Amino acid sequence: MTRLDNWTRAAALTGAAFTVLVAIGAVLAGSAPGDTASGQAVIAFYVKHGPRQKAADVFLVLAFIALVFFAGWLRVYVRSHDSRDGLTGTALAGAALLAA
């Protein structure tokens, strides 16, 4: 097995990593104050839950980085198995925009 094969297999797993990281980020984020909450309630929430919210943000950033890698791998995979390249570039661009 070559080193490239190992990287290809690891890249394929970034789709699963995206799913797991988003789930962890969503659980950590919890439910923020509603849109009718007062400014004081919002500030109090983020003062109390600040570290947890920052951890959720880190997991979500890592998730979207994994999404971009997965979209890149998916593009290469589809192009190698199908000569039509129509939507693979669009999927990769969409993943990059979503991550941004």
Side-chain angles (χ1 to χ4, degrees):
M1 181 175 297
T2 66
R3 190 175 169 139
L4 184 59
D5 290 337
N6 290 336
W7 281 109
T8 302
R9 289 177 190 219
L13 293 175
T14 57
F18 167 74
T19 304
V20 170
L21 291 168
V22 165
I24 292 170
V27 168
L28 284 175
S31 59
D35 56 348
T36 58
S38 68
Q40 288 178 335
V42 172
I43 291 171
F45 174 83
Y46 285 104
V47 166
K48 183 177 179 183
H49 301 291
R52 187 177 175 135
Q53 295 300 312
K54 288 178 185 176
D57 292 344
V58 168
F59 277 102
L60 292 173
V61 165
L62 293 174
F64 285 103
I65 290 170
L67 175 65
V68 171
F69 278 100
F70 179 71
W73 170 83
L74 187 62
R75 181 171 193 237
V76 170
Y77 179 80
V78 170
R79 287 182 72 188
S80 69
H81 288 82
D82 188 3
S83 62
R84 293 171 287 172
D85 189 30
L87 295 178
T88 59
T90 305
L92 181 59
L97 285 173
L98 185 62

